[in-house]
Amino acid sequence: MAAKIQQAPRTLTATRSPHRERVRRCRNRSEHAWAYLMIAPVTIGLGLFYLWPIVQTFYYSFTQSGPFGGHQWIGAANYRALAHDSSVTQSALNTVFYTVLQLAGIPLAVFVAALLNQRGLRGRSVYRVIYFLPVVTMPVAAAMVWRWMYQGDNGIINHLLSGFGIAGPHWVSDPSTAMYALAAVGIWMAFGTNLVIFLAGLQGIPAEYYEAAKVDGASATRTFFRITVPMLTPSIFFATVLTVINSLQLFDLVYMMMGTPSDATGQSNPAMPHVQTIASLFYEKAFIEHDTGFGAAVAFVLVAFILLVTVVQFRLQKKWVHYA
Amino acid sequence: MPDLASSRRPRSGERGRLIATHTVLIVGGLVMLGPFVWELLTSLKPFGETTQNPPTILPHHWQLSNYSKVFQSLPFGRQFLNTVVMTVGRTLAQLVFCSMAGYAFARMRFRGANVLFGLFLSVLMVPGLLFLIPQYVLLERLGWLNTMQGLIVPGMFSAFGVFLLRQVFMAMPYETEEAARIDGANPFQIFWRIMLPLARPGLAALAILSALSAWNDLMFPLVVTTDPNKMTLSAGLATLQGEHFTDYSVLMAGALMATAPMIVVFLVLQKQFVQGIAFTGSKG
C-alpha cells in the first residue's frame, strides 16, 4: 500500500520539460546531502556500537584472550570445545524448553482477550490495567518478589498449598521444579503484552461475522473457534514470533532467582544445570570467567538458534495464518 | 443458548455469561496482582515475621524502617537519578535520531539507502548478546566504564526505532509535503515542521518502548558499572539482593521503590502505553 502511494507523485513530477528536469536534478543533489545528514547520527552510532561489534564478536569467537588482554587466533577451537561441552548442550536444551513453556501463555492470553472483548462487559479498562501491570515492572524486582514467594520453608505459595494439604517443594532449588517456576514468572510478565496485541487484533474482526454467527445460532464456543481464532491468527503469529525471540534470550530471571551472594551465577544451586540458559551461560563465560572467545562462540550459538527458529516459523506460517 | 425468538431468555443467559466472565477475570487478576500485594505487605513487616512459619499475612507490627534500610545499604537516591537520566537521555536521543533517519529512509532517495537499511535490519534481528563484549571493550578503551555517558550513549541509537518510524512516515500522504516543497522549504524543514508533528503516535510508541527497556535493562548496566554510585536501579537491586540475601522485608522495600516510578508513569499514560505496545504489535 505504502509503496504504491510513494510511487504516484514521482510519475507526476517527471515531466519532459528540460528546465523542470534541471531544477529537479539540482533539488535531488541537495536532497542527497540532506538525506546523508539526517541518517548520519544513526549510521555512526549503529555502526560503532552495533554493526562493527557483530564483526568483532565473530572474530573473537575464533580467538583466545591472552594474559595481557590481547587476542590470539585459535581457529575453530572454541566451536569444537563448545560442541563437546555438556553445559552448552544442556543450556541450549533448557532454553528451548523454556521457550516452549512460554508459548503456553499465548492461548491463555487469546482466551482472556476474547473474554474482555465481550459486548456489555464492564470494567474492561480496569482489567486491562491489572493484567498489564507486570509488563511495566522491572524484571529484576519481579524476580526478587517471585523468589520470595517460591521460598520452600516460609514462602507464601507453599503456605497456601499447605492449606490444601500439599507440601510444596523448594521451587527454585529443586531440579524438577525450577524450570517450571521460572517459566511461570515469564508467562506472568509477558501476559499483558500478548493480551494487548490480541485485543488490538480483535478490533479488526468485522462485527458482521459475529452477527452472522448469532443468526445461525452458533454457540459461544463454536464462534470462538470458528471466527475469533482464525481471524486472530496474524496476531497470534506475531505474538508467537515475539515470545520466541524474547524467550530464547532469557537472562534476568536466571541471574536473579538462582544465585546466592557467594555465588552470583548460581553454580552451587543444585537446580542450576536444569535452568542455565544460553544467555546466562554467555554472561558467566564472558564476564565472570573472562573467557571472551568462548563467550563469543556461545553468543553465535544463540544467533544460529534464533535464525533457524525464525525461518521455520515463517515457513510454517503459510499453513496456519489467515490473512484477510 | 440465546434464542432470538424470545427477548427475555437471551438477556438472562447473557447475564449468566457475564458473571462467569467476571469470575474468571477476577481470579486471573488476583494472580497478576498477588505478587505486588505480597511485595507491599512484606516490605512493611519486621524481619522476624518473614522468617516465621507459618508466615503472617498482614504485618503484626507495621513499620517503614525497611525503606530506610534500603537507603543505608544502597546509594538509592543516586541510582534513582542515574536511572532517570539514562532513561530520559536515551529516549530523547532515539526520538531525534531515529525519526530523522526513519524519514530519510521513507521519503528521500539517496545512494546506498537499501544497503544501509538492510544492515540496520540485521542489527534488529540478532540477539543483544552479540554487541556486549565489543561494547564493553570500546567503553573501557574510551574510559567510559562507570560513567553516565557509558550508560547512555550506546543506547541512543536504535535500529528498531528507525524501522518503526520509517513505517510510520511511509504510511503518510504526500500532498502536504509537496505543498511545502513548492513553498521552498528544504527537506529538513519539511521533516521537522510538517511531518514530525504528524508522526506523534509513532513517536509515543517508540518513546514508551525505549523508556521501558532502558529502565528495566539488567545485563548492560551490570557489565558497564561496578561502582554502586554509578549503577542504575536494576543493577543496584542485584547488589542489594547480594547484601540482604535472606532479609526479604528489605529486598521487597527496594524492589517496590525501584518499580513504583514506572508503574506511576504507566497509570498516568495508560492509553499511550497500551496503544504503543499494540501499535508496534499490529505492525508485525
Side-chain angles (χ1 to χ4, degrees):
Chain A
M1 245 285 267
K4 230 180 269 166
I5 296 169
Q6 194 181 16
Q7 288 310 324
R10 230 163 243 148
T11 47
L12 285 176
T13 46
T15 51
R16 265 155 247 124
S17 145
H19 172 69
R20 277 273 188 88
E21 199 53 20
R22 207 175 309 129
V23 168
R24 202 184 137 66
R25 213 174 299 148
C26 185
R27 206 188 74 200
N28 263 349
R29 203 168 304 147
S30 86
E31 192 177 296
H32 262 72
W34 278 112
Y36 288 123
L37 273 179
M38 288 170 76
I39 61 161
V42 161
T43 309
I44 294 167
L46 287 179
L48 201 60
F49 290 106
Y50 297 88
L51 281 165
W52 183 238
I54 298 179
V55 179
Q56 274 176 305
T57 304
F58 191 60
Y59 166 72
Y60 288 153
S61 74
F62 293 96
T63 67
Q64 193 175 32
S65 34
F68 305 107
H71 297 277
Q72 199 185 354
W73 182 266
I74 54 168
N78 287 322
Y79 290 97
R80 274 196 296 276
L82 68 79
H84 297 290
D85 190 330
S86 63
S87 73
V88 176
T89 335
Q90 189 59 47
S91 64
L93 289 174
N94 293 341
T95 308
V96 171
F97 185 47
Y98 175 82
T99 305
V100 171
L101 290 176
Q102 288 309 292
L103 291 175
I106 289 179
L108 221 55
V110 171
F111 177 63
V112 172
L115 287 184
L116 276 178
N117 203 44
Q118 279 179 84
R119 215 186 291 166
L121 186 82
R122 286 206 180 170
R124 186 175 295 146
S125 55
V126 176
Y127 285 122
R128 205 174 51 187
V129 166
I130 291 172
Y131 282 83
F132 201 74
L133 222 43
V135 177
V136 295
T137 302
M138 186 183 280
V140 173
M144 284 163 73
V145 178
W146 279 91
R147 181 185 185 136
W148 163 224
M149 297 201 305
Y150 279 138
Q151 271 281 311
D153 298 320
N154 42 21
I156 184 73
I157 292 177
N158 280 357
H159 175 64
L160 292 177
L161 285 177
S162 72
F164 298 96
I166 301 167
H170 285 72
W171 295 95
V172 292
S173 55
D174 185 330
S176 64
T177 54
M179 183 54 105
Y180 296 100
L182 256 68
V185 183
I187 291 175
W188 178 81
M189 284 202 299
F191 197 83
T193 303
N194 290 332
L195 183 66
V196 163
I197 290 172
F198 296 142
L199 282 174
L202 286 173
Q203 299 301 308
I205 305 180
E208 300 90 71
Y209 288 21
Y210 289 107
E211 276 149 28
K214 209 169 187 182
V215 169
D216 289 348
S219 71
T221 324
R222 201 176 157 85
T223 311
F224 177 74
F225 283 108
R226 292 296 169 89
I227 295 176
T228 309
V229 172
M231 291 299 288
L232 214 50
T233 47
S235 302
I236 296 175
F237 174 66
F238 176 72
T240 307
V241 172
L242 207 67
T243 302
V244 167
I245 289 181
N246 286 334
S247 308
L248 287 175
Q249 303 185 55
L250 177 75
F251 168 72
D252 324 41
L253 294 184
V254 180
Y255 184 80
M256 289 303 291
M257 294 178 78
M258 303 305 287
T260 58
S262 55
D263 166 37
T265 51
Q267 297 313 302
S268 63
N269 185 330
M272 193 55 184
H274 302 269
V275 178
Q276 177 93 286
T277 58
I278 301 181
S280 70
L281 185 70
F282 162 84
Y283 180 78
E284 186 197 319
K285 293 292 177 194
F287 292 103
I288 305 288
E289 296 174 13
H290 297 289
D291 191 348
T292 313
F294 195 81
V298 170
F300 270 97
V301 172
L302 187 58
V303 174
F305 254 81
I306 289 183
L307 286 184
L308 184 78
V309 173
T310 309
V311 168
V312 169
Q313 279 182 309
F314 274 87
R315 281 275 165 80
L316 289 180
Q317 137 183 242
K318 287 171 203 142
K319 300 226 167 101
W320 65 275
V321 180
H322 306 274
Y323 289 100
Chain B
M1 268 285 89
D3 171 16
L4 284 177
S6 71
S7 57
R8 275 175 68 207
R9 258 169 67 223
R11 224 177 263 162
S12 71
E14 207 150 275
R15 176 172 293 172
R17 212 176 65 193
L18 285 179
I19 289 170
T21 302
H22 278 298
T23 312
V24 173
L25 290 174
I26 288 169
V27 169
L30 286 178
V31 174
M32 302 313 273
L33 272 186
F36 293 101
V37 174
W38 194 232
E39 181 182 18
L40 177 67
L41 289 176
T42 305
S43 76
L44 297 168
K45 282 176 194 173
F47 173 65
E49 286 185 38
T50 63
T51 53
Q52 164 183 329
N53 197 358
T56 57
I57 301 299
L58 291 173
H60 284 313
H61 300 279
W62 297 76
Q63 58 163 41
L64 288 168
S65 65
N66 296 314
Y67 289 86
S68 53
K69 277 189 204 155
V70 174
F71 283 93
Q72 281 158 28
S73 17
L74 281 185
F76 192 87
R78 181 77 229 180
Q79 295 182 347
F80 179 79
L81 198 69
N82 291 345
T83 314
V84 170
V85 172
M86 180 181 89
T87 303
V88 172
R90 282 184 175 192
T91 305
L92 286 181
Q94 280 194 19
L95 287 179
V96 173
F97 295 157
C98 297
S99 61
M100 287 197 309
Y103 177 76
F105 280 118
R107 286 299 169 87
M108 294 160 89
R109 285 207 291 183
F110 53 95
R111 206 162 289 159
N114 290 335
V115 175
L116 265 182
F117 192 70
L119 283 173
F120 290 1
L121 278 186
S122 72
V123 171
L124 196 59
M125 284 188 293
V126 298
L129 300 186
L130 224 47
F131 320 120
L132 211 57
I133 299 172
Q135 280 178 351
Y136 175 82
V137 171
L138 179 61
L139 294 176
E140 188 185 35
R141 211 168 282 168
L142 291 169
W144 282 10
L145 295 179
N146 285 311
T147 64
M148 265 337 279
Q149 64 269 35
L151 280 173
I152 295 174
V153 174
M156 285 167 46
F157 314 98
S158 160
F160 168 75
V162 176
F163 178 72
L164 176 71
L165 294 177
R166 172 182 169 268
Q167 298 296 99
V168 169
F169 285 120
M170 274 171 61
M172 288 184 185
Y174 259 82
E175 289 77 15
T176 36
E177 249 175 326
E178 284 297 316
R181 190 167 290 161
I182 289 161
D183 288 346
N186 71 38
F188 187 80
Q189 289 168 324
I190 295 173
F191 156 71
W192 192 256
R193 296 215 196 119
I194 296 163
M195 298 301 273
L196 202 55
L198 295 176
R200 225 172 273 146
L203 294 173
L206 177 62
I208 282 159
L209 291 174
S210 159
L212 255 185
S213 79
W215 191 274
N216 293 337
D217 191 17
L218 174 65
M219 207 195 283
F220 183 77
L222 215 51
V223 165
V224 176
T225 56
T226 45
D227 174 358
N229 281 308
K230 306 294 183 189
M231 279 180 183
T232 60
L233 285 171
S234 58
L237 279 186
T239 57
L240 185 71
Q241 179 164 279
E243 277 176 46
H244 292 268
F245 190 61
T246 49
D247 193 345
Y248 279 104
S249 47
V250 173
L251 292 180
M252 292 306 104
L256 197 67
M257 284 196 289
T259 316
M262 199 41 108
I263 289 185
V264 171
V265 173
F266 162 63
L267 290 177
V268 174
L269 299 175
Q270 268 180 57
K271 219 172 116 192
Q272 283 81 353
F273 266 74
V274 169
Q275 278 173 352
I277 304 263
F279 179 76
T280 45
S282 59
K283 288 280 156 181

